[in-house]
RNA sequence: GGGAGCAUAGCUCAGUUGGUUUAGAGCAUCUGCCUUACAAGCAGAGGGUCGGGGGUUCGACUCCCUCUGCUCCCACCA
């Protein structure tokens, strides 16, 4: 069958992925081999593949495929995350499109819609990963809301509550008065907003009566003055020493509030006097705690003023602001107003101005777990790659705050806490167990009276268990339970590949969960990928529309091409600036491999031909080079330098294998090839395909299958990587001299306009092994190689040097001697400068005394080499000048 | 405001505990080639006083200080 000059990936990729699936090559069961485990960072269940996933999962697949080919029992566990906030938002939007408000349906109805949505859209992303070639064990696919994984979350909550690590506390949340929900910090968008700073008079008061004196307070939120419970000054602010211990009256409502002192106040901002409104500002709340101030909440769920405000009751917060300014102006409390620009938080979903609001939330204590979690990273029990993130990690762990684990949502694991009619709370795995506990508090309680906490748990509260629960869902919350077979075998996992943004949200918490429930680390290495950005460095995002569609990209360039394109420019922890030209480079490389195959496949073995000497030399050289490369690639992988490993292979295949070896051994047109060279070359090709397979699984499988006859059911992906073997460094160095000589000759041909087809003669003097001559003859189109002593003084031509070997290329009629002299002189000048710097070192007593012997030897050799070359150049210039 | 990091060729990056020829690669650029595997290719070339300044050292891209310019994380000032 005639093979096309262009490799077309689509059909090939489908074919082999199906084959791998059918043969069960992705599946893993515990056995007596060494395990290699990765758990996927679960993408949002309703998400679609973006470039970040492409990068992240390509890296994981490279690691897993390589481990598999190193003979390990490789297991890559896939799955998805229920992503409560994101998914709930999508379901709400979908209902809204049908004219249904979330408030109109019951929790059960809403969840039914959510599950329906999940069934319809869930897992699309996993199907997309298959196109990329991801070798996940799909039999093990998990979802964070699978019944058993949800149960693990509940068990964990109950366990930690009983242990005393989970408690309820008041916290300021971001309240969206339009969406009627609390939103997470991540969903608050800060925008620069023009507002006004109002300067208000607060009269000093004694025993409820104004003294007539006043202070001035600057505020952007005059409508909240009714919630003030103090005025605050800096303890060292001399301007206000006379106010210490006194009280002021809130304008209009004339409630008396104390003046307190706190370092929080900055003396040089506003007037230096700050009104304290604990219910409506997070900082004020904290100051309030320090000074035992009461909390007066004057806003309702819709951010309208409530009866506690006394005035303007029922008004919207912004209307109230306008009205109160008029009132304050009229009463003479308003001194002035200034334009002011500040950062205001808006809800991502409703664009409503976020109202800070106090509410009762569930928290998990972090302090106790933080110490060991920090230690395991700082002492390299878990390695971060790159390790610069250790600092960031340390900083966070040392300033860790308790984790707010409750969310005011429906999609997720509902908090297993039940309230008695008297407001007391019991925590249990089921309502029946809750009743048992409730009866101990109040024997009259009935099961119908128990009301479950409506909130769900933070999604991270299920994903922090992920490396454990995917193997043994009964283990979290049961530290004393024996691990099941899977957990015992696969845990701790080997590598985790994720983004640095979630180092705290996820990675640190998995380390804590590992300690708590398995008494062990969850993984040994954490490879942190960068952000995928566009060419000009902007983050890829839907709204910018600067992200290519990964599926289309794979259809156009092939999954192998995209994988290579992503990997070539991505070192750990560095952002990658994505450009389609990189993917083109990947596709071109696949095409190159394809064409190398076409060439080799077209060769016919001629049993009567013996191996030409240049072929024998090339085979020996490439054999050494391959061994050296295996060494280098192993080293790159040990250090997680994936792009370097790939780049090395890229050059090895393209330049060394195709550009040199294949060109050297390629038989002349119409002739056959000898058996020995053919077999060696096929063997090289086979090894190269193995080395390339983790990066480019599809094309390597395709060609490997066709290179030799393979047994049905065999596959490259379950074959073994070439192992390192002894090689001769000197042989490689010698061959490089021949390569350089050839390059020099080609260079001279081009600069003098001599066709590669014109055969030339070459004269030389120096230590070039005669064994290499046949390679030079073939690759530089040289007719014969003679000793330089045979040079006819009348010959015209070009001289050059490689290392310390002198060459002369006779060129008939070539007379541009001046140019040759100039070239030699430039070279001479460079060498003399170089020699001078070397001599400076060698004649420096301190250098000779302090530098290690090895360095001195190198410098000495540099000097000898440079002097030899200078001498020869001088001779040459002299000859040319005659 | 607190913390961290980065700055090397036009672009993206290496440079492995300071010394392997006065810095390497890929891409891009330029020149010449439709050479019977591949123009998604082949052959060759040019290009950097390693952000500025100072210091330590026999020796600095590498260590220290400082300035400049970017980036990220955390907290956000009434």
């Amino acid at each position: 069958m005639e093979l096309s000059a262009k490799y077309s990936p689509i059909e090939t990729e489908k074919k082999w992925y199906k084959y791998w699936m059918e043969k069960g090559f992705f599946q893993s069961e515990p056995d007596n081999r060494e395990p290699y485990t990765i758990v996927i960072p679960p993408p949002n269940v309703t998400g679609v593949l973006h470039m970040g996933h492409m990068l992240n999962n390509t890296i994981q697949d490279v690691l897993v495929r390589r481990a598999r080919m190193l003979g390990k029992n490789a297991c890559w566990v896939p799955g998805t995350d229920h992503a409560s906030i994101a998914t709930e938002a999508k379901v709400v939007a979908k209902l809204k499109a049908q004219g249904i408000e979330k408030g109109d349906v019951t929790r059960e109805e809403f969840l039914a819609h959510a599950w329906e949505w999940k069934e319809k859209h869930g897992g699309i992303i996993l199907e997309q990963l298959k196109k990329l070639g991801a070798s996940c064990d799909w039999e093990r696919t998990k979802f964070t809301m699978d019944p058993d994984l949800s149960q693990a979350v509940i068990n964990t909550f109950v366990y930690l509550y009983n242990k005393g690590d989970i408690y309820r506390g008041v916290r300021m949340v971001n309240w969206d008065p339009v969406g009627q929900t609390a939103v997470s910090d991540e969903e608050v968008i800060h925008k620069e907003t023009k507002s006004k700073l109002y300067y208000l008079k607060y009269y000093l008061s004694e025993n409820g009566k104004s003294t007539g004196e006043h202070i001035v307070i600057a505020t952007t939120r005059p409508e909240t003055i009714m919630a003030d419970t103090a005025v605050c000054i800096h303890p060292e602010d001399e301007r206000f020493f006379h106010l210490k211990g006194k009280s002021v009256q809130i304008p209009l409502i004339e409630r008396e509030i104390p003046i307190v002192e706190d370092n929080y106040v900055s003396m040089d901002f506003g007037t230096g006097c700050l009104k304290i409104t604990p219910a409506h500002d997070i900082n004020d709340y904290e100051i309030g705690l320090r000074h035992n101030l009461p909390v007066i909440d004057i806003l309702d769920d819709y951010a309208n003023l409530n009866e506690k405000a006394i005035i303007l009751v029922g008004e919207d917060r912004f209307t109230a602001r306008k009205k109160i300014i008029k009132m304050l102006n009229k009463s003479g409390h308003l001194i002035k107003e200034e334009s002011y620009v500040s950062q205001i938080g808006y809800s991502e979903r409703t664009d409503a101005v976020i109202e800070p609001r106090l509410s009762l939330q569930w928290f998990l204590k972090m302090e106790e777990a933080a110490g060991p979690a920090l230690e395991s990273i700082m002492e390299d029990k878990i390695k971060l790659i790159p390790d610069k993130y250790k600092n960031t990690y340390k900083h966070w762990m040392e300033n860790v705050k308790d984790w707010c684990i409750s969310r005011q949502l429906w999609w997720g694991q509902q908090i297993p806490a039940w309230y008695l009619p008297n407001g007391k709370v019991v925590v249990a795995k089921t309502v029946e167990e809750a009743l048992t506990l409730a009866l101990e508090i109040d024997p009259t309680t009935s099961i119908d009276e128990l009301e479950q906490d409506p909130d769900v748990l933070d999604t991270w509260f299920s994903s922090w268990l992920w490396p454990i629960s995917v193997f043994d869902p009964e283990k979290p919350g049961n530290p004393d339970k024996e691990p099941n077979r899977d957990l015992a075998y696969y845990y701790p996992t080997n590598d985790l590949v994720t983004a640095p943004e979630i180092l705290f949200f996820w990675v640190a918490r998995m380390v804590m969960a590992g300690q708590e429930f398995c008494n062990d680390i969850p993984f040994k290495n954490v490879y942190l990928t960068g952000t995928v950005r566009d060419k000009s460095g902007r983050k890829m995002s839907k709204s910018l529309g600067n992200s290519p569609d990964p599926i289309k990209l794979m259809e156009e360039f092939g999954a192998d091409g995209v994988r290579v394109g992503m990997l070539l420019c991505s070192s750990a922890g560095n952002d990658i600036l994505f450009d389609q030209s990189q993917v083109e480079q990947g596709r071109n490389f696949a095409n190159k491999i394809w064409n190398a195959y076409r060439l080799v496949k077209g060769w016919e073995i001629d049993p009567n031909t013996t191996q030409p000497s240049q072929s024998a030399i090339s085979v020996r050289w490439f054999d050494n080079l391959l061994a050296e490369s295996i060494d280098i690639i192993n080293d790159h992988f040990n250090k997680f330098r994936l792009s370097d490993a790939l780049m090395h292979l890229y050059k090895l295949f393209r330049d060394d294998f195709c550009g040199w070896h294949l060109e050297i051994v390629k038989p002349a047109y119409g002739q056959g090839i000898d058996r020995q060279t053919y077999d060696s070359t096929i063997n090289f090709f086979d090894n190269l395909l193995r080395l390339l397979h983790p990066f480019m699984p599809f094309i390597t499988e395709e060609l490997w299958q066709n290179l030799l006859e393979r047994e049905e059911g065999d596959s490259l992906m379950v074959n073994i990587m070439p192992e390192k073997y002894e090689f001769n460094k000197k042989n490689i160095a010698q061959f490089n001299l021949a390569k350089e000589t050839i390059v020099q000759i080609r260079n001279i041909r081009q600069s003098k306009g001599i066709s590669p087809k014109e055969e030339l003669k070459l004269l030389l003097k120096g230590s070039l092994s005669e064994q290499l001559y046949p390679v030079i003859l073939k690759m530089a189109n040289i007719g014969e190689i003679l000793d330089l002593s045979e040079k006819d003084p009348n010959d015209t031509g070009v001289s050059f040097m490689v290392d310390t070997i002198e060459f002369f290329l006779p060129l008939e009629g070539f007379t541009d001697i001046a140019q040759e002299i100039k070239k030699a002189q430039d070279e001479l000048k460079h060498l003399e400068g170089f020699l001078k710097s070397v001599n400076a070192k060698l004649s420096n007593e301190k250098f000779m005394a302090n530098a290690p012997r090895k360095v001195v030897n190198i410098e000495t050799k540099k000097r000898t080499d440079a002097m030899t070359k200078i001498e020869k150049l001088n001779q040459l210039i002299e000859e040319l000048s005659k």
Side-chain angles (χ1 to χ4, degrees), chain A residues 103-170:
Chain A
D104 299 342
V105 294
T106 65
R107 186 180 189 119
E108 285 64 37
E109 285 165 348
F110 181 85
L111 287 176
H113 282 290
W115 278 106
E116 191 189 316
W117 175 268
K118 184 255 169 192
E119 292 310 324
K120 198 170 161 197
H121 301 274
I124 288 179
I125 193 161
L126 299 182
E127 289 308 309
Q128 292 178 315
L129 281 178
K130 292 178 181 173
K131 290 209 162 63
L132 184 65
S135 60
C136 302
D137 183 352
W138 300 108
E139 306 279 309
R140 291 180 179 273
T141 305
K142 295 285 190 294
F143 173 51
T144 51
M145 272 173 74
D146 282 342
D148 49 350
L149 297 211
S150 278
Q151 191 58 52
V153 170
I154 300 303
N155 294 349
T156 300
F157 185 95
V158 174
Y159 170 82
L160 290 172
Y161 178 82
N162 290 335
K163 192 173 165 234
D165 285 352
I166 286 179
Y167 65 94
R168 284 173 90 206
V170 170

Side-chain angles (χ1 to χ4, degrees), chain A residues 174-384:
Chain A
N174 304 302
W175 182 256
D176 175 348
V178 174
Q180 284 293 298
T181 176
V183 295
S184 70
D185 292 346
E186 289 73 33
E187 295 171 295
V188 177
I189 299 170
H190 288 271
K191 289 193 264 192
E192 280 209 341
T193 305
K194 274 187 202 166
S195 60
K196 289 209 166 114
L197 195 56
Y198 301 95
Y199 288 78
L200 306 180
K201 276 185 196 171
Y202 276 51
Y203 286 98
L204 269 72
S205 72
E206 273 170 28
N207 305 320
K209 284 182 183 168
S210 167
T211 63
E213 271 184 90
H214 73 265
I215 56 169
V216 181
I217 283 159
T219 180
T220 52
R221 299 203 62 188
E223 75 279 13
T224 65
I225 60 171
M226 292 80 80
D228 290 355
T229 53
V231 162
C232 192
I233 55 169
H234 194 280
E236 283 151 33
D237 195 335
E238 293 179 7
R239 294 175 294 176
F240 303 124
F241 275 3
H242 63 286
L243 298 175
K244 288 187 180 183
K246 300 200 171 162
S247 298
V248 292
Q249 267 184 356
I250 297 173
L252 306 176
I253 60 167
E254 298 184 348
R255 182 155 50 77
E256 192 172 288
I257 53 173
I259 293 174
V260 297
E261 299 159 48
D262 199 284
N263 287 329
Y264 171 79
V265 181
S266 39
M267 290 187 269
D268 51 8
F269 188 89
T271 61
C273 290
L274 173 65
K275 76 186 195 71
I276 305 299
T277 321
H280 302 294
D281 184 283
I282 178 67
N283 295 304
D284 290 10
Y285 177 70
E286 280 166 14
I287 294 169
L289 284 182
R290 287 200 283 276
H291 299 275
N292 282 320
L293 299 174
V295 175
I296 302 172
D297 185 346
I298 59 162
L299 293 174
D300 67 13
D301 289 354
Y302 296 90
N304 295 331
L305 273 62
N306 63 24
E307 65 286 351
K308 286 190 192 136
I310 303 170
I311 51 173
L312 297 167
V313 174
E315 296 283 358
D316 166 76
R317 54 187 163 158
F318 298 114
T319 317
R321 185 177 301 170
K322 283 180 196 150
K323 288 192 175 170
I324 201 165
I325 283 304
K326 280 185 189 158
M327 292 161 74
L328 288 164
N329 195 19
K330 205 170 165 191
S331 66
H333 287 92
L334 179 67
I335 296 171
K336 60 169 176 174
E337 46 183 82
E338 279 176 0
S339 290
Y340 183 70
V341 175
S342 65
Q343 295 281 327
I344 304 277
Y346 291 82
S347 167
E348 186 181 23
R349 270 183 268 157
T350 63
D351 206 36
V353 173
I354 292 295
E355 191 61 47
R357 195 167 198 226
L358 288 170
S359 67
L360 207 50
Q361 305 286 336
W362 292 90
F363 290 87
L364 174 59
K365 290 182 189 168
M366 286 275 109
E367 213 175 335
E368 201 183 309
L374 174 61
E375 192 188 287
S376 51
I377 297 278
M378 295 320 283
E379 292 179 2
D380 283 333
K381 285 176 207 155
I382 300 171
K383 272 196 204 142
L384 297 187

Side-chain angles (χ1 to χ4, degrees), chain A residues 526-742:
Chain A
V526 180
Y527 181 106
L528 296 153
T529 59
T531 309
V532 183
R533 297 171 180 279
D534 69 7
K535 243 201 307 207
S536 40
R538 296 174 308 173
K539 228 173 182 167
M540 282 190 172
S541 73
K542 261 190 207 160
S543 51
L544 279 172
N546 58 349
S547 176
D549 176 350
I551 300 299
K552 279 191 190 145
L553 214 53
M554 286 192 281
E555 280 166 4
E556 190 178 351
F557 297 99
D560 288 332
V562 178
R563 289 166 68 115
V564 168
M566 305 234 53
L567 239 33
L568 272 177
C569 59
S570 59
S571 50
N574 277 352
D575 284 357
I576 91 158
L577 268 59
F578 181 83
D579 183 357
Q580 186 159 304
S581 68
Q582 291 152 6
V583 172
E584 281 170 27
Q585 195 185 347
R587 175 202 57 183
N588 294 355
F589 183 43
N591 197 50
K592 183 75 188 171
I593 299 171
W594 172 253
N595 275 292
Y597 169 77
R598 279 178 69 216
L599 174 68
V600 172
K601 206 60 194 168
W603 287 343
E604 283 189 18
I605 297 162
D606 179 352
N608 300 318
T609 308
T610 52
Q611 187 173 40
S613 47
Q614 75 272 12
S615 294
I617 290 160
S618 187
V619 164
R620 195 152 75 90
W621 162 71
F622 196 80
D623 188 53
N624 281 310
L625 198 64
L626 188 64
E628 186 190 41
S629 293
I630 291 167
D631 235 21
I632 292 170
I633 291 161
N634 285 344
D635 185 51
H636 283 323
F637 267 103
N638 289 339
K639 291 167 183 159
F640 286 91
R641 292 187 190 156
L642 270 54
S643 351
D644 289 349
L646 175 57
M647 183 48 76
H648 186 88
L649 275 166
Y650 178 80
K651 287 190 278 189
L652 178 69
F653 193 94
R654 219 177 57 139
D655 301 341
D656 297 310
F657 185 63
C658 297
W660 289 99
H661 177 72
L662 291 183
E663 290 297 336
I664 293 169
V665 304
K666 186 157 89 176
Y669 183 67
Q671 288 182 12
I673 191 166
D674 65 282
R675 166 114 255 158
Q676 250 183 309
T677 305
Y678 182 82
D679 287 347
S680 301
T681 302
I682 294 289
N683 180 44
F684 293 151
F685 210 144
D686 187 291
N687 279 311
L688 288 167
L689 291 175
R690 286 168 200 260
L691 289 165
L692 281 164
H693 182 263
F695 299 100
M696 309 174 82
F698 295 109
I699 188 169
T700 50
E701 179 79 86
E702 167 77 17
L703 299 187
W704 187 84
Q705 293 282 350
N706 292 314
L707 202 60
L708 291 172
E709 274 192 25
R710 310 289 178 186
E711 280 173 27
E712 161 59 26
D714 200 358
S715 165
L716 176 55
M717 70 165 283
V718 291
N719 266 264
I720 291 299
M721 260 314 152
E723 283 170 38
K724 66 181 282 188
Y725 55 96
E726 286 297 311
F727 65 97
N728 181 346
K729 260 202 155 116
K730 275 190 186 146
N731 174 275
I732 296 172
Q734 270 290 312
F735 195 90
N736 281 342
L737 292 179
K739 275 163 79 173
E740 240 178 280
T741 306
I742 293 158

